Amino acid sequence: MAHSVEMPELGESVTEGTITQWLKSVGDTVEVDEPLLEVSTDKVDTEIPSPVAGTILEIKAEEDDTIDVGSIIAIIGEEDEAGSGDDSDDSDDSAEEESKESESESDSDSGSDAKEEKSSGGSGDAEDVTMPELGESVTEGTITQWLKSVGDTVEVDEPLLEVSTDKVDTEIPSPVAGTLVEILAEEDDTIEVGAVIARIGDENAGSSSSSDKDDKKEEKEDKKEDKQDKPHADKKEDKSSGSGKGEEVVMPELGESVTEGTITQWLKAEGDTVEVDEPLLEVSTDKVDTEIPSPIAGTLVKILAEEDDTIEVGAAIAVIGDGSADSSEDKDEKKEEKKDEDKSAEKAKEDAAKKAEEKAEAKAEEKKAEKKEEPKKSASSESSSESSSKVNNGGNIPYVTPLVRKLADKHGIDLNTVEGTGVGGRIRKQDVLAAAEGGKDSAASGESSSDPRARWSTKSVDPEKQELIGTTKKVNRIREITATKMVEALQISAQLTHVQEVDMTSIWNMRKTAKKPFIDKHGANLSFLPFIVKATVEALVSHPNVNASYNPKTKEMTYHPDVNVAIAVDTPRGLLTPIIHKAQDKTLPEIAQAIAELADKARNNKLKPNDLTGATFTVTNIGSEGALLDTPILVPPQAGILGTAAITKRPVVITEDGQDAIAIRYMCYLPFTYDHQVVDGADAGRFITTIKDRLETADFEADLDI
């Protein structure tokens, strides 16, 4: 039975989403929760999983279409429903069609007014569907789209059409089950509430003709042909000729807006066995170099794309099966190829041996000549080369892909000297190429002593941003939304900032001793942020008037039952604020784990709509690049945002036993921006004082759970 896939709920107050990319095509099989498409909203870019398992029979919305929540975007069912069954199924289908056609012809003998008789009652019962109530003071609605056609069957509460009013865009569900007999109002018609817009009855009351069914059948056949015309279709047919079962491996999602990847190296050969998640090949894009793991265990039956081929996301690149998925002809060909390869290999070994001897002799002569001419230079370069090779094969460098490692070896770059610009300082291909180019420039210009830029600071500089100079580009969706929301926030709220200074010395010392055992037990880094978030959450529970929202239209204040804290995360695509929901119920280790998990998901485009909706308060780490003070902007309906400035070591006056003294302490400013519509200045001061006292008292030993 076919299942309609609807645009799901995408977060609080989000009514529509734009389809950025279909990850599956008509005819593809999908599993439950397997990513089906990517959708972008004004709050998040996310993947939509399939709600059911089956075959995609129809895609009802194209890429770049903006679709309302609840609207049907695809149909998933059994493969035979798509008209792609075997010959016997086709013959059965055609027999059914012929039977239906003959029935239709016999029906048509009763006269040309048969259709009118059906719509007015005919031999079956029909019920009027009226424009429903659409809200207080709303008297009419405009039909924007019919989701069903005449002759379609509908279930109770199944979406029938979309209607737009001056207040809302919504779907109208079917009040009864049956067949859509007649549509009485067209798209773009404005209809009064209570007016009849359609009639639904039993099958006998339907008006769909055999020609309609033929048209639908032709559409399905066209889609089937289009599917077969896609790249690699001939390779998929080869796969089906095998004697065993094989599953296609497709080019996976490689990041936001990345539509293709170049295969740089196959790590497995045809006939090799692979395990689930075992690296299968290396792929390079304009954003990342990465290994692609095998999605299943089995034998690599066929490689459908060669090295250096650029393949679109979703296209088949290999077939993995049980080892018997090759056809007998393929096996014979492979045997012949293997024999030829063995002969070639033997010959190649002999040639290589001869060449190696000649090369060794030539190299020995070269070395003798070099030692006579430039003994120091030769010794230095050999030492550098050996050092680079050793470092790039081990050392203390962070994880890099094999492609990056090979590139570094090729250019003689020591990866320990390269500053990575990727997520978490990861070294990327561009970093190695920049280092290699920099080395060439230095050698050519005598260490660039005459270039003023050679003395410029490169700390915290992203070399890729140099490409922006002198250009005009359309901003990405996150920057567009951030710009709009920030201006809107300042226009609709009364914002001001309260600042207090906190002595973090006790927490500094506690963290220094507890960091390693905390990581060993809880698997999360113990930074200062979890302490500050924990103290903030406790203060929000103690000061519910800060964990509140004001509605100026209704003049009502809502005091939230939960503390949902948003954590600002800097990503290559822009600022995101994923949320720790029900933070008041979490321990300090759980908060630390949640911060790490959300930051990782934000930087790797794995956030779901729920991760970005429902915040009641925000904490932003403004001190990551050394800021001592900032005035963060809150986003309504939140009433506040807390900034955590850099923790600096400086002399301060302290009082012990009634005596003043100057001591070196770790100090930090906490700027708190709040909405004066919700919070008064004195309440803001009391709120921050509670946080300050909790952090300076530093009674967190029991909270660490180590």
Side-chain angles (χ1 to χ4, degrees):
M1 180 178 175
H3 179 90
S4 297
V5 180
E6 299 177 350
M7 180 67 75
E9 291 292 324
L10 296 165
E12 185 181 5
S13 76
V14 178
T15 59
E16 61 184 17
T18 300
I19 296 173
T20 52
Q21 185 182 6
W22 278 98
L23 306 177
K24 298 291 181 179
S25 305
V26 172
D28 288 354
T29 56
V30 292
E31 301 296 325
V32 177
D33 292 334
E34 186 177 0
L36 199 59
L37 69 156
E38 288 182 357
V39 171
S40 177
T41 73
D42 60 352
K43 291 187 177 181
V44 68
D45 298 319
T46 187
E47 291 179 348
I48 304 300
S50 175
V52 295
T55 300
I56 298 179
L57 305 182
E58 188 177 358
I59 289 177
K60 291 183 171 288
E62 301 302 317
E63 292 180 0
D64 297 325
D65 284 357
T66 298
I67 308 298
D68 286 341
V69 169
S71 295
I72 297 173
I73 54 177
I75 305 293
I76 295 177
E78 297 298 327
E79 195 171 356
D80 54 3
E81 293 182 69
S84 59
D86 55 22
D87 294 338
S88 62
D89 291 338
D90 291 340
S91 62
D92 291 342
D93 290 343
S94 62
E96 274 185 37
E97 290 296 329
E98 287 172 10
S99 173
K100 287 176 183 173
E101 284 172 12
S102 63
E103 287 173 13
S104 178
E105 286 169 6
S106 64
D107 289 341
S108 66
D109 292 338
S110 61
S112 59
D113 296 332
K115 182 177 179 182
E116 292 177 8
E117 287 177 9
K118 285 177 182 177
S119 66
S120 63
S123 58
D125 296 326
E127 184 171 326
D128 290 342
V129 179
T130 61
M131 181 67 76
E133 291 291 325
L134 296 165
E136 186 180 4
S137 76
V138 178
T139 60
E140 61 185 16
T142 300
I143 297 173
T144 53
Q145 184 183 7
W146 279 98
L147 305 176
K148 297 292 181 179
S149 304
V150 171
D152 288 353
T153 57
V154 292
E155 301 296 326
V156 176
D157 292 334
E158 186 175 2
L160 197 60
L161 71 156
E162 290 179 358
V163 172
S164 176
T165 73
D166 58 352
K167 292 188 176 180
V168 69
D169 297 320
T170 186
E171 290 180 347
I172 305 301
S174 175
V176 294
T179 301
L180 183 55
V181 175
E182 191 174 4
I183 291 177
L184 302 174
E186 300 303 316
E187 292 180 0
D188 297 325
D189 285 357
T190 299
I191 308 297
E192 289 188 1
V193 170
V196 179
I197 54 176
R199 303 182 73 245
I200 294 175
D202 57 26
E203 269 190 73
N204 293 327
S207 61
S208 60
S209 65
S210 60
S211 62
D212 294 331
K213 293 175 182 175
D214 289 340
D215 289 341
K216 289 182 182 177
K217 185 180 178 185
E218 285 175 12
E219 285 177 12
K220 287 182 178 179
E221 287 174 355
D222 290 342
K223 285 180 182 175
K224 182 182 174 185
E225 288 172 8
D226 291 341
K227 179 70 179 171
Q228 290 173 343
D229 289 340
K230 285 189 177 181
H232 306 298
D234 54 337
K235 293 176 181 177
K236 291 181 184 178
E237 288 168 11
D238 290 343
K239 170 197 152 189
S240 65
S241 66
S243 57
K245 292 182 178 179
E247 184 173 324
E248 285 180 344
V249 178
V250 299
M251 181 66 76
E253 287 296 312
L254 297 164
E256 185 187 11
S257 77
V258 179
T259 58
E260 61 185 18
T262 301
I263 297 173
T264 52
Q265 184 183 7
W266 278 97
L267 305 176
K268 296 290 181 178
E270 289 185 5
D272 287 354
T273 56
V274 291
E275 300 297 325
V276 176
D277 292 333
E278 186 177 2
L280 198 59
L281 70 156
E282 290 177 2
V283 171
S284 176
T285 73
D286 58 351
K287 293 187 176 181
V288 69
D289 301 313
T290 187
E291 291 179 348
I292 305 300
S294 174
I296 58 171
T299 300
L300 183 54
V301 174
K302 199 158 195 176
I303 290 177
L304 303 177
E306 302 303 317
E307 292 180 1
D308 296 325
D309 284 357
T310 298
I311 308 297
E312 288 187 0
V313 169
I317 53 176
V319 177
I320 293 178
D322 56 9
S324 60
D326 305 45
S327 66
S328 58
E329 290 179 5
D330 288 339
K331 290 180 180 176
D332 292 337
E333 285 175 8
K334 285 180 183 176
K335 286 180 182 177
E336 292 298 323
E337 287 174 4
K338 188 155 176 52
K339 286 180 183 177
D340 292 340
E341 285 174 4
D342 291 341
K343 289 179 183 177
S344 300
E346 288 178 12
K347 190 175 180 183
K349 282 181 184 177
E350 293 175 4
D351 292 343
K354 288 180 182 178
K355 285 181 181 178
E357 290 177 9
E358 292 172 2
K359 197 172 181 181
E361 290 174 4
K363 200 169 185 180
E365 292 297 325
E366 281 178 14
K367 282 186 179 179
K368 286 179 184 177
E370 285 174 3
K371 282 180 182 178
K372 289 177 182 177
E373 292 174 7
E374 294 178 11
K376 290 183 181 178
K377 184 179 177 182
S378 174
S380 172
S381 78
E382 284 177 20
S383 171
S384 172
S385 175
E386 287 174 11
S387 172
S388 172
S389 177
K390 285 178 183 175
V391 169
N392 292 344
N393 286 324
N396 298 319
I397 58 173
Y399 171 76
V400 293
T401 64
L403 180 69
V404 171
R405 196 179 295 278
K406 286 178 186 175
L407 202 60
D409 289 338
K410 178 181 175 182
H411 292 283
I413 301 298
D414 181 352
L415 291 176
N416 276 313
T417 65
V418 178
E419 184 175 348
T421 59
V423 176
R426 181 181 173 194
I427 298 173
R428 304 182 302 154
K429 178 178 71 175
Q430 292 89 332
D431 301 327
V432 175
L433 291 174
E437 196 63 33
K440 288 178 185 175
D441 292 343
S442 296
S445 60
E447 300 301 325
S448 300
S449 57
S450 60
D451 183 4
R453 288 200 175 202
R455 297 184 295 278
W456 290 13
S457 172
T458 58
K459 187 175 182 180
S460 298
V461 172
D462 181 359
E464 289 186 1
K465 287 191 171 63
Q466 293 297 300
E467 298 174 7
L468 301 177
I469 297 174
T471 66
T472 300
K473 296 177 180 288
K474 183 174 175 61
V475 297
N476 65 21
R477 195 170 181 82
I478 292 177
R479 173 53 53 202
E480 178 187 351
I481 298 306
T482 301
T484 301
K485 291 293 184 184
M486 292 300 100
V487 173
E488 181 185 279
L490 291 171
Q491 290 172 341
I492 64 175
S493 59
Q495 304 198 23
L496 69 161
T497 304
H498 173 102
V499 184
Q500 289 199 34
E501 189 176 32
V502 181
D503 186 345
M504 297 289 286
T505 306
S506 297
I507 287 181
W508 183 287
N509 295 332
M510 178 186 296
R511 177 179 172 270
K512 191 174 181 180
T513 58
K515 188 174 181 180
K516 189 177 184 310
F518 186 89
I519 293 173
D520 291 342
K521 181 168 182 179
H522 301 294
N525 185 34
L526 185 62
S527 64
F528 293 99
L529 191 56
F531 290 102
I532 295 172
V533 171
K534 183 73 166 68
T536 302
V537 170
E538 293 171 356
L540 287 167
V541 174
S542 300
H543 299 269
N545 56 317
V546 179
N547 192 48
S549 298
Y550 176 61
N551 186 333
K553 292 181 181 178
T554 62
K555 298 182 175 23
E556 292 177 330
M557 191 76 72
T558 299
Y559 301 97
H560 301 294
D562 294 317
V563 177
N564 299 331
V565 179
I567 306 295
V569 179
D570 176 35
T571 78
R573 294 172 292 122
L575 182 69
L576 293 173
T577 52
I579 298 157
I580 304 174
H581 290 276
K582 296 184 181 294
Q584 77 278 3
D585 298 332
K586 296 188 182 296
T587 63
L588 193 148
E590 288 171 341
I591 288 173
Q593 291 164 349
I595 291 171
E597 181 184 351
L598 290 172
D600 180 69
K601 288 168 71 176
R603 294 183 179 115
N604 291 288
N605 197 25
K606 297 295 182 184
L607 291 172
K608 300 299 179 187
N610 188 55
D611 292 327
L612 290 165
T613 55
T616 62
F617 193 87
T618 298
V619 175
T620 178
N621 181 15
I622 63 173
S624 58
E625 285 295 332
L628 294 177
L629 195 59
D630 203 340
T631 54
I633 299 175
L634 65 88
V635 179
Q638 297 174 47
I641 179 172
L642 180 72
T644 63
I647 299 174
T648 58
K649 187 166 59 172
R650 65 176 184 269
V652 297
V653 176
I654 62 171
T655 302
E656 291 183 353
D657 300 327
Q659 297 293 318
D660 290 340
I662 296 175
I664 303 299
R665 310 293 289 180
Y666 291 91
M667 306 301 293
C668 173
Y669 290 111
L670 294 181
F672 169 50
T673 298
Y674 59 97
D675 187 348
H676 215 329
Q677 296 176 103
V678 182
V679 182
D680 291 335
D683 287 331
R686 284 188 277 266
F687 173 68
I688 294 300
T689 298
T690 301
I691 296 174
K692 172 184 168 85
D693 180 65
R694 180 73 162 107
L695 293 172
E696 290 185 341
T697 304
D699 185 13
F700 287 103
E701 286 85 355
D703 294 293
L704 292 172
D705 188 27
I706 54 177

